[in-house]
């Protein structure tokens, strides 16, 4: 989120480093969920916003941006491309009191962990604080207004196996709160980072 720029104010951006699934992958999962969404009063995410966050950066200043991009580019260049697939699902904090419903990610999880660690280390090296706890690969599908038991939904998601795709690039995305449809965040890709 940008703060108002003034003589004593530093503009800050809310950003994240992510793997963005291609259109055909998003369409496949969207079609799977389409006939099921009406069965729950969840706040479903739109498919245009589905992504796999590797590092969340709540406050990036304009002064930090060039160094961040430089370090992320170098970090991504040192990693090998890998293949991802959306499959199964889960809930945060757990299925008995879920607040978030998500699609799982199938991949070489050790390499995906290394890629996330490299993105996080690059951000820290650029002086940007990385938010969040340990990396848990997922794509958020829905948020729940109150904690609910969602085991039935996890059984449904466990039947899903999406198409695989080669992950050859990451995106540095700016998230502008309240600027998207229905006052949701608007995401803008600021940089594309080639892997390998």
């Amino acid at each position: 989120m940008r703060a108002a720029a003034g003589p004593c104010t530093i503009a800050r951006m809310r950003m994240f480093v992510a793997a963005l699934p291609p259109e055909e992958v998003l369409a496949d999962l969207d079609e799977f969920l389409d006939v099921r969404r009406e069965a729950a009063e969840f706040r479903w995410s739109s498919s245009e916003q589905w992504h796999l966050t590797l590092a969340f950066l709540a406050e990036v200043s304009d002064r930090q941006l060039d160094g961040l991009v430089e370090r992320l580019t170098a970090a991504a260049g040192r990693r090998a491309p890998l293949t991802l697939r959306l499959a199964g699902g889960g809930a945060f904090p757990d299925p008995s009191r879920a607040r978030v419903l998500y699609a799982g990610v199938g991949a070489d999880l050790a390499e995906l962990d290394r890629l996330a660690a490299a993105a996080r280390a690059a951000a820290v090296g650029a002086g940007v604080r990385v938010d969040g706890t340990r990396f848990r690969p997922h794509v958020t599908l829905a948020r729940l207004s109150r904690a609910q038991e969602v085991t039935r939904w996890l059984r449904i998601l466990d039947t899903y196996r999406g198409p695989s795709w080669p992950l050859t690039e990451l995106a540095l995305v700016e998230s502008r709160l309240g600027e998207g449809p229905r006052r949701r965040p608007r995401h803008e890709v600021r940089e594309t980072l080639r892997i390998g």
Side-chain angles (χ1 to χ4, degrees):
M1 182 161 134
R2 290 179 183 269
C8 297
T9 306
I10 297 172
R12 301 221 178 254
M13 295 166 278
R14 176 186 164 126
M15 305 186 96
F16 55 88
V17 180
L20 303 179
E23 285 297 320
E24 62 272 13
V25 171
L26 298 175
D28 189 80
L29 179 56
D30 198 35
E31 183 178 322
F32 175 82
L33 291 173
D34 192 43
V35 297
R36 296 165 174 87
R37 282 188 182 104
E38 291 180 13
E41 297 285 326
F42 301 159
R43 195 172 73 221
W44 293 96
S45 304
S46 67
S47 60
E48 297 84 34
Q49 292 196 326
W50 289 341
H51 61 274
L52 167 60
T53 300
L54 300 176
F56 179 68
L57 319 169
E59 292 188 349
V60 179
S61 71
D62 286 334
R63 288 185 288 187
Q64 294 170 314
L65 189 57
D66 288 342
L68 175 63
V69 170
E70 183 179 313
R71 287 177 179 269
L72 286 171
T73 299
R78 289 190 293 270
R79 304 296 340 146
L82 63 155
T83 301
L84 299 182
R85 164 179 282 173
L86 300 181
F92 293 131
D94 63 61
S96 66
R97 53 191 177 97
R99 295 302 300 258
V100 172
L101 187 67
Y102 65 81
V105 178
D108 175 346
L109 293 181
E111 183 57 31
L112 191 56
D113 280 344
R114 285 189 285 274
L115 186 60
R120 290 167 180 231
V124 170
V128 177
R129 188 171 57 83
V130 178
D131 286 3
T133 56
R134 71 179 178 87
F135 175 61
R136 293 175 64 180
H138 70 281
V139 172
T140 299
L141 300 176
R143 296 187 184 280
L144 289 66
S145 58
R146 60 181 172 74
Q148 295 181 43
E149 205 287 326
V150 294
T151 303
R152 183 175 75 90
W153 279 96
L154 298 190
R155 283 197 294 268
I156 292 168
L157 287 172
D158 281 345
T159 67
Y160 181 73
R161 294 285 177 275
S164 60
W165 83 93
L167 181 64
T168 58
E169 62 186 28
L170 299 177
L172 177 61
V173 180
E174 183 177 359
S175 178
R176 297 183 181 197
L177 296 178
E179 292 186 14
R182 296 186 309 223
R183 306 223 6 99
R184 293 190 178 170
R186 180 171 64 84
H187 295 163
E188 177 185 341
V189 175
R190 295 289 301 264
E191 295 288 336
T192 300
L193 315 157
R194 195 87 185 149
I195 299 173

